[in-house]
Amino acid sequence: MRFRLTPRETSFYDMFAASADNIVTGSKLLMELLGADTAGRAEIAERMRAAEHAGDDATHAIFHQLNSSFITPFDREDIYNLASSLDDIMDFMEEAVDLVVLYNVEELPKGVEQQIEVLARAAELTAEAMPSLRTMDNLTEYWIEVNRLENQADQIHRKLLAHLFNGKYEAIEVLKLKQIVDVLEEAADAFEHVANTVETIAVKES
């Protein structure tokens, strides 16, 4: 850890932690979606929209603090990238739930639950990692595991696509379901972007 003579704005740490905790809330709503009926899914979508709005508020707070702070705990570009990537995760999760409701999907294909389980685990790891930004300690295992989870998500996504294109689904249903599983894959990618940004920050601060 580099020794600094200047004070640093520390509220960023709390805001990043709050943003990551909100993502855990979103991942739990995704898990609820799996066992919900049509009415239940609509209600979950409403709660997910509220969580996404909370995520937007958290991101805007970070940007406002960034623009008004003379001294930051680490590079401004990295703060911006980390906040944006965290926001992307919530956006993708909210989009996935919204699409399930808008498309009136009766049954999600087998394998979607595995996608969501990976996202839930990545959300937990991300929330656990954010407080460690204060000291940059014990973060290596975090980004290694999130990268492993993203590779797992890639494999699940490819299997889902193969399943969707096996001829058992109507063409319009394939289009609907493919868009949903693609958005969930984008959420997994966004978790990796967060982990890569954290790794970049840790390397610079070492």
Side-chain angles (χ1 to χ4, degrees), residues 52 56 84 86-96 183:
E52 193 273 333
D56 285 342
S84 297
L86 288 167
D87 188 60
D88 287 343
I89 294 169
M90 277 303 304
D91 287 345
F92 289 132
M93 292 196 297
E94 189 273 332
E95 182 181 353
V183 169

Side-chain angles (χ1 to χ4, degrees), residues 162-197:
H163 176 68
L164 291 178
F165 287 105
N166 66 7
K168 294 181 180 179
Y169 292 91
E170 296 291 334
I172 189 65
E173 194 69 14
V174 170
L175 291 175
K176 292 177 181 179
L177 295 175
K178 182 180 182 299
Q179 190 172 359
I180 293 166
V181 301
D182 284 350
V183 169
L184 291 172
E185 171 62 14
E186 288 184 280
D189 290 341
F191 273 114
E192 185 178 39
H193 294 159
V194 169
N196 290 344
T197 301

Side-chain angles (χ1 to χ4, degrees), residues 4-24:
R4 296 175 183 268
L5 295 175
T6 54
R8 296 187 294 176
E9 173 57 62
T10 60
S11 60
F12 287 105
Y13 301 121
D14 294 332
M15 289 189 285
F16 282 129
S19 183
D21 286 343
N22 190 56
I23 289 170
V24 172

Side-chain angles (χ1 to χ4, degrees), residues 24 27-28 30-31 93 115-125 191:
V24 172
S27 70
K28 290 178 179 178
L30 276 177
M31 294 293 290
M93 292 196 297
Q115 276 191 305
I116 292 174
E117 286 169 2
V118 167
L119 295 179
R121 179 57 182 151
E124 291 174 357
L125 290 170
F191 273 114

